[in-house]
Amino acid sequence: MTNEQDRARLYELLIEELEDFAIFLIDPDGTIISWNPGVERFFGYREHEFIGKPFCEIFTPEDRAKAAHEEEMGRARTDGRSSDVRWHLCSDESRVFVEGVLTCIKDEGGKACGFAKIARSVRPQQAAGSLIATLLEGTEDPIYATDKEGRFVFANSAAASLLGRSVDQLISHTHEEVLPPSVASDVRSTDQSVMSSNHARLVEEKFPTDKGERVLLATKAPWRDTQDGLIGLVAISKDVTNRIALQNEREQLLREVSRVNKELSDFSHVVAHDLRTPLRAVRTYAELLSRHLEPHLDATTQQFLSFVTEGAESMDQLIESLLQYAESGGELSPTRVNVPAVIAGLLHRLEPLIRETGAVVTTEALPEVYADPVRLLQVFQNLIVNAINYRSSEAPRIRIFSEKRPESFLIGVSDNGIGIPREYLEQVFVPLKRLHARSASGHGLGLALCKKIVEAHGGRIWVESAPGQGSRFFFTLPRGTQVRD
């Protein structure tokens, strides 16, 4: 056997032994003409099943539809080789994820006389390396690793950009060589502490940059080998500069809102006092004048004086309602509130009105909630009084009930009153909006007050109603760990 024959036989034996690779030859028309045992390992085909098949049959139906096999051979003819990573079909129609190279074989004259395909399965470990590299470079979060002496052994582009260097300018350098001394000293101290503690730690660090100081929240952990020997440190950071700025701005706005609310509350009390003083004087002198001149006044004059007295009293009540509305959005004093006890006390207070109108109020399965008791009392009082004021020709029938939900309590107050047209269901909660200004007492602030109080507790309120069918007011109160069902 000649040397060339020996060499050819050695190549043949080598290819046969490469079971980690599927290697086969394809003629210029795309027909498979040779194989190695690696084909059976990856694709499940035996030699007689594989040779003679069209090259396209190992491609998935969707790739065949796109003529991916023709595109691959075309690139190989033009460029000499074509590499790809794609799914291929096995003999049992299952799929294998394959990394392959198709090489164009040319004769001495440069004419394509066939192709050689070398493929191997992409194992999870192999894919992981590519995926991790992509993730490390694709993230905006700075990530780096240092050895025990603090020299960078890895840094992604985000870390290099933060420190104002390229990745190559960081590798093998220390923090002291790329950061101001005071900053580097703090970082080195933290890193040494993390490496000696053997535990990951979340730390806040500040880095000077050409765009100003950046604040980073970094998770740092010791980097150890398989024998638990210390290699160095790994750090993954999140730039929270903008978040902190927004939080500071939010806190400043909240402080400003709180200050303005207090000023408005103080102002409203002063204005209320200044308004109520002359109103009380008008009412008092109107009553004195009426009693003093009663024998000498005709019926019309007496009626005019009563209008003055009633108007002054109504204005006093309006000012009181406005004060309550202004204060309803203020700071709450929540505590455990036994709703049945609140309702019982309220019904006792409203007993004269209830007796006068013949109203009947029933309660069902009311819970204990976590709320401001004074504000919650105002909600129930306004809903009950509202139901009585807007009663029909029948005596008011008012039902108070509740329903436990996963994250809240639903509380309802229903009545048999005159009802509300559909188009006004939202307007009833607007301050000073009255749909029946002449037929019922009040100033149009009761339901607006309820809405403001419920929303201050983190709940919401709404009404379901129709003319002549009564109304059903519902509101929610969030459930918490301090609430008993």
Side-chain angles (χ1 to χ4, degrees), residues 213-285:
E213 186 178 73
R214 309 302 297 178
V215 181
L216 275 74
L217 201 59
T219 299
K220 297 190 171 185
W223 177 18
R224 296 188 174 276
D225 59 25
T226 56
Q227 304 300 319
D228 203 35
L230 181 65
I231 300 175
L233 175 136
V234 176
I236 302 175
S237 304
K238 172 70 71 173
D239 191 333
V240 295
T241 309
N242 294 337
R243 188 186 307 173
I244 290 176
L246 289 173
Q247 179 66 22
N248 291 338
E249 183 179 352
R250 176 178 177 274
E251 291 176 356
Q252 176 62 31
L253 286 173
L254 288 175
R255 287 193 294 268
E256 184 66 17
V257 169
S258 178
R259 181 188 65 80
V260 171
N261 282 341
K262 185 177 184 308
E263 290 180 356
L264 285 174
S265 178
D266 293 342
F267 176 75
S268 64
H269 280 86
V270 171
V271 171
H273 178 269
D274 291 346
L275 287 175
R276 296 174 95 172
T277 298
L279 278 175
R280 286 169 180 166
V282 169
R283 185 174 60 184
T284 299
Y285 283 109

Side-chain angles (χ1 to χ4, degrees), residues 23 28 39 46 49 83 155 159 184 205 217 241 282 295 323 331 389 424 428 457:
I23 304 174
V39 170
R46 294 185 179 275
E49 298 172 324
S83 60
E205 295 179 323
L217 201 59
T241 309
V282 169
L323 274 175
E331 186 176 348
N389 286 342
Y424 297 126
V428 295
H457 281 82

Side-chain angles (χ1 to χ4, degrees), residues 380-391:
F380 282 115
Q381 177 172 318
N382 279 291
L383 290 177
I384 293 173
V385 171
N386 188 76
I388 293 175
N389 286 342
Y390 293 94
R391 60 187 179 274

Side-chain angles (χ1 to χ4, degrees), residues 72-236:
E72 189 172 327
M73 288 192 293
R75 284 200 306 268
R77 285 192 189 95
T78 303
D79 302 332
R81 66 196 302 271
S82 174
S83 60
D84 61 22
V85 178
R86 68 172 70 248
W87 291 100
H88 278 318
L89 283 182
C90 300
S91 62
D92 61 359
E93 298 297 320
S94 62
R95 300 186 179 204
V96 60
F97 202 43
V98 167
E99 177 183 17
V101 177
L102 183 70
T103 302
C104 182
I105 303 172
K106 298 182 179 181
D107 59 20
E108 294 178 355
K111 181 181 179 181
C113 57
F115 303 90
K117 177 80 171 185
I118 302 176
R120 66 173 179 174
S121 173
V122 179
R123 297 181 176 86
Q125 296 90 335
Q126 297 166 335
S130 175
L131 286 172
I132 290 172
T134 301
L135 289 172
L136 290 174
E137 281 304 311
T139 181
E140 297 179 353
D141 298 335
I143 302 173
Y144 65 86
T146 61
D147 63 16
K148 289 183 289 188
E149 286 71 39
R151 295 187 177 278
F152 288 96
V153 296
F154 169 81
N156 68 350
S157 299
S161 176
L162 173 72
L163 299 175
R165 301 287 194 281
S166 68
V167 172
D168 291 339
Q169 290 172 330
L170 284 182
I171 301 305
S172 81
H173 293 281
T174 64
H175 281 103
E176 286 81 0
E177 294 173 321
V178 298
L179 287 172
S182 60
V183 178
S185 175
D186 290 342
V187 173
R188 173 59 64 90
S189 176
T190 300
D191 291 357
Q192 292 291 347
S193 176
V194 170
M195 287 188 288
S196 62
S197 70
N198 199 32
H199 295 291
R201 185 183 303 174
L202 187 66
V203 298
E204 182 181 295
E205 295 179 323
K206 297 180 180 180
F207 291 90
T209 71
D210 55 359
K211 297 180 180 179
E213 186 178 73
R214 309 302 297 178
V215 181
L216 275 74
L217 201 59
T219 299
K220 297 190 171 185
W223 177 18
R224 296 188 174 276
D225 59 25
T226 56
Q227 304 300 319
D228 203 35
L230 181 65
I231 300 175
L233 175 136
V234 176
I236 302 175

